[in-house]
Amino acid sequence: MEIFFKGTGENAFVLRPALWYSTRMERIARFEALKAQLEQNPDYSGKITLEEPLARRTTMRVGGNAAFFLEPGDENSLLVALSMLEKAQEPYVLLAGGSNVIISDAGICGTVISMRALRDVSVSPAEPQAGAESAAGAGQQTGAAPHAGAGASGGVVLTAQAGASWARVISLCREKLLSGFEGFAGLPGTVGGALFMNASCFGHAACDNLLSVRYWADGRVHEYTLPPLTDSARNEALQADWGYKRSPFQKPVGACQPPVESHMHSGGSQPHPVNAQQHLPVLLSASFACAALPSDAADEACARLCAQYDETLRARVAKGHFSKPSAGSTFKNNALFGVPAGKLIDDSGLKGLKIGGAQVAPWHGNIIINAGGATASDIRALIQQVQDTVKARTGFLLEPEVLFLGSW
């Protein structure tokens, strides 16, 4: 069975039986035809390859090839590719920073779209628009760039494309002396992935200072907006749409075929029905409110702001996030368990446990690393063993935060 997870960082996917193609040659012929179609389209620019290696494109450094791989060179090329694939009823996987995912050793028998080229980040003055109507929780069709208002009075608006890395965002924040993302220094992955899963770290969530998101769904571009940061309606909107590892972009849009049931367990999670052609929104760009130090700010104030970014990065280094290849935190925390997932794993005596080249990090229970020569199967087997051991000891079933992509 072939499972395609869609999105850049959260538990959402479409599923299609691998037998959709009666033969391997039929599959190759189909992708060659799609490749030729894009190559002949003057509105598309970017990479188009067959059998693209994916291991080097992930932070865990494992996985096979993508049967059909696209890396659009700009947003318009991405929209051209999405239109073509959806018209052809061809499922696809979005891949950006490559964190939080485990790609199977067999690879992905389908289309992978890399978002890496969509990495622009810019800053503009905030221009609140009087009378602007909030559209929290609603998609509005638009072809325009995100507006730079939405209530960041006295500050600035930072706009980033979905494929922009957090390293790129933080670099600009430091250069322009912007606050608002101190907790995201050193975070692997991209803006789109963090918003899709509503990443949270060091007390900050991706949605905290979010103003708007442009996204693709139903064959067109929409805009999602939140009330201004000072609006009393903002908290209600956030509670309705956002939460721990939850965002409004995890809801499928549209359907082309009757539901099918997945009997594939994602690291111990329960099977659930999905649709062969349900399309999730594809995030294009997002705008955030930031506070800017004035150009004549004292050196002391500038140093304090930069020190906050440095401290977050040092904390990540101290936790061993960059010591070995990993996908980041392996399991979600569950408030009902009373303690973090890493503590449950530590107390179960699992730190340092190895299967093949995969290992529970000796320094942190909720990080599984590629200790050298690991395969995706090693990692999945280790995740399953950790789940089984913790459940037998505590009765709690840890839910993976990482996503399993491809044929398992």
Side-chain angles (χ1 to χ4, degrees), residues 183-195:
F184 283 78
L187 183 72
T190 60
V191 170
L195 278 174

PDB file of all heavy atoms in Angstrom, residues 183-195:
ATOM      1  N   GLY A 183      11.839  32.501  20.018  1.00  0.00           N
ATOM      2  CA  GLY A 183      11.762  31.080  20.335  1.00  0.00           C
ATOM      3  C   GLY A 183      12.019  30.159  19.160  1.00  0.00           C
ATOM      4  O   GLY A 183      12.109  28.939  19.326  1.00  0.00           O
ATOM      5  N   PHE A 184      12.151  30.720  17.948  1.00  0.00           N
ATOM      6  CA  PHE A 184      12.312  29.889  16.757  1.00  0.00           C
ATOM      7  C   PHE A 184      13.744  29.861  16.243  1.00  0.00           C
ATOM      8  O   PHE A 184      14.011  29.249  15.215  1.00  0.00           O
ATOM      9  CB  PHE A 184      11.361  30.380  15.659  1.00  0.00           C
ATOM     10  CG  PHE A 184       9.939  29.965  15.889  1.00  0.00           C
ATOM     11  CD1 PHE A 184       9.153  30.644  16.803  1.00  0.00           C
ATOM     12  CD2 PHE A 184       9.392  28.883  15.238  1.00  0.00           C
ATOM     13  CE1 PHE A 184       7.846  30.264  17.050  1.00  0.00           C
ATOM     14  CE2 PHE A 184       8.087  28.483  15.474  1.00  0.00           C
ATOM     15  CZ  PHE A 184       7.311  29.173  16.385  1.00  0.00           C
ATOM     16  N   ALA A 185      14.654  30.498  16.939  1.00  0.00           N
ATOM     17  CA  ALA A 185      16.058  30.448  16.525  1.00  0.00           C
ATOM     18  C   ALA A 185      16.552  29.005  16.567  1.00  0.00           C
ATOM     19  O   ALA A 185      16.355  28.292  17.542  1.00  0.00           O
ATOM     20  CB  ALA A 185      16.904  31.327  17.443  1.00  0.00           C
ATOM     21  N   GLY A 186      17.156  28.573  15.473  1.00  0.00           N
ATOM     22  CA  GLY A 186      17.685  27.212  15.407  1.00  0.00           C
ATOM     23  C   GLY A 186      16.660  26.157  15.042  1.00  0.00           C
ATOM     24  O   GLY A 186      17.013  24.971  14.933  1.00  0.00           O
ATOM     25  N   LEU A 187      15.411  26.561  14.842  1.00  0.00           N
ATOM     26  CA  LEU A 187      14.382  25.572  14.481  1.00  0.00           C
ATOM     27  C   LEU A 187      14.633  25.062  13.064  1.00  0.00           C
ATOM     28  O   LEU A 187      14.741  25.860  12.129  1.00  0.00           O
ATOM     29  CB  LEU A 187      12.997  26.203  14.562  1.00  0.00           C
ATOM     30  CG  LEU A 187      11.807  25.260  14.287  1.00  0.00           C
ATOM     31  CD1 LEU A 187      11.626  24.298  15.453  1.00  0.00           C
ATOM     32  CD2 LEU A 187      10.529  26.070  14.066  1.00  0.00           C
ATOM     33  N   PRO A 188      14.739  23.747  12.869  1.00  0.00           N
ATOM     34  CA  PRO A 188      14.881  23.229  11.507  1.00  0.00           C
ATOM     35  C   PRO A 188      13.544  23.339  10.774  1.00  0.00           C
ATOM     36  O   PRO A 188      12.505  23.550  11.397  1.00  0.00           O
ATOM     37  CB  PRO A 188      15.282  21.770  11.722  1.00  0.00           C
ATOM     38  CG  PRO A 188      14.682  21.412  13.042  1.00  0.00           C
ATOM     39  CD  PRO A 188      14.737  22.677  13.883  1.00  0.00           C
ATOM     40  N   GLY A 189      13.570  23.185   9.487  1.00  0.00           N
ATOM     41  CA  GLY A 189      12.310  23.231   8.754  1.00  0.00           C
ATOM     42  C   GLY A 189      11.996  24.629   8.243  1.00  0.00           C
ATOM     43  O   GLY A 189      12.836  25.525   8.243  1.00  0.00           O
ATOM     44  N   THR A 190      10.755  24.794   7.805  1.00  0.00           N
ATOM     45  CA  THR A 190      10.357  25.994   7.079  1.00  0.00           C
ATOM     46  C   THR A 190       9.132  26.659   7.700  1.00  0.00           C
ATOM     47  O   THR A 190       8.457  26.091   8.550  1.00  0.00           O
ATOM     48  CB  THR A 190      10.015  25.633   5.629  1.00  0.00           C
ATOM     49  OG1 THR A 190       8.928  24.698   5.626  1.00  0.00           O
ATOM     50  CG2 THR A 190      11.210  25.021   4.905  1.00  0.00           C
ATOM     51  N   VAL A 191       8.845  27.849   7.212  1.00  0.00           N
ATOM     52  CA  VAL A 191       7.689  28.600   7.682  1.00  0.00           C
ATOM     53  C   VAL A 191       6.396  27.837   7.385  1.00  0.00           C
ATOM     54  O   VAL A 191       5.514  27.720   8.240  1.00  0.00           O
ATOM     55  CB  VAL A 191       7.659  29.998   7.028  1.00  0.00           C
ATOM     56  CG1 VAL A 191       6.336  30.709   7.308  1.00  0.00           C
ATOM     57  CG2 VAL A 191       8.834  30.828   7.522  1.00  0.00           C
ATOM     58  N   GLY A 192       6.276  27.293   6.179  1.00  0.00           N
ATOM     59  CA  GLY A 192       5.062  26.559   5.821  1.00  0.00           C
ATOM     60  C   GLY A 192       4.839  25.347   6.693  1.00  0.00           C
ATOM     61  O   GLY A 192       3.721  25.095   7.163  1.00  0.00           O
ATOM     62  N   GLY A 193       5.904  24.587   6.934  1.00  0.00           N
ATOM     63  CA  GLY A 193       5.773  23.397   7.773  1.00  0.00           C
ATOM     64  C   GLY A 193       5.413  23.739   9.195  1.00  0.00           C
ATOM     65  O   GLY A 193       4.576  23.080   9.819  1.00  0.00           O
ATOM     66  N   ALA A 194       6.041  24.805   9.728  1.00  0.00           N
ATOM     67  CA  ALA A 194       5.756  25.204  11.113  1.00  0.00           C
ATOM     68  C   ALA A 194       4.312  25.661  11.271  1.00  0.00           C
ATOM     69  O   ALA A 194       3.662  25.365  12.275  1.00  0.00           O
ATOM     70  CB  ALA A 194       6.714  26.311  11.536  1.00  0.00           C
ATOM     71  N   LEU A 195       3.791  26.390  10.283  1.00  0.00           N
ATOM     72  CA  LEU A 195       2.402  26.836  10.363  1.00  0.00           C
ATOM     73  C   LEU A 195       1.439  25.673  10.188  1.00  0.00           C
ATOM     74  O   LEU A 195       0.421  25.587  10.884  1.00  0.00           O
ATOM     75  CB  LEU A 195       2.128  27.899   9.294  1.00  0.00           C
ATOM     76  CG  LEU A 195       2.552  29.316   9.640  1.00  0.00           C
ATOM     77  CD1 LEU A 195       2.366  30.223   8.434  1.00  0.00           C
ATOM     78  CD2 LEU A 195       1.757  29.845  10.829  1.00  0.00           C
TER      79      LEU A 195
END
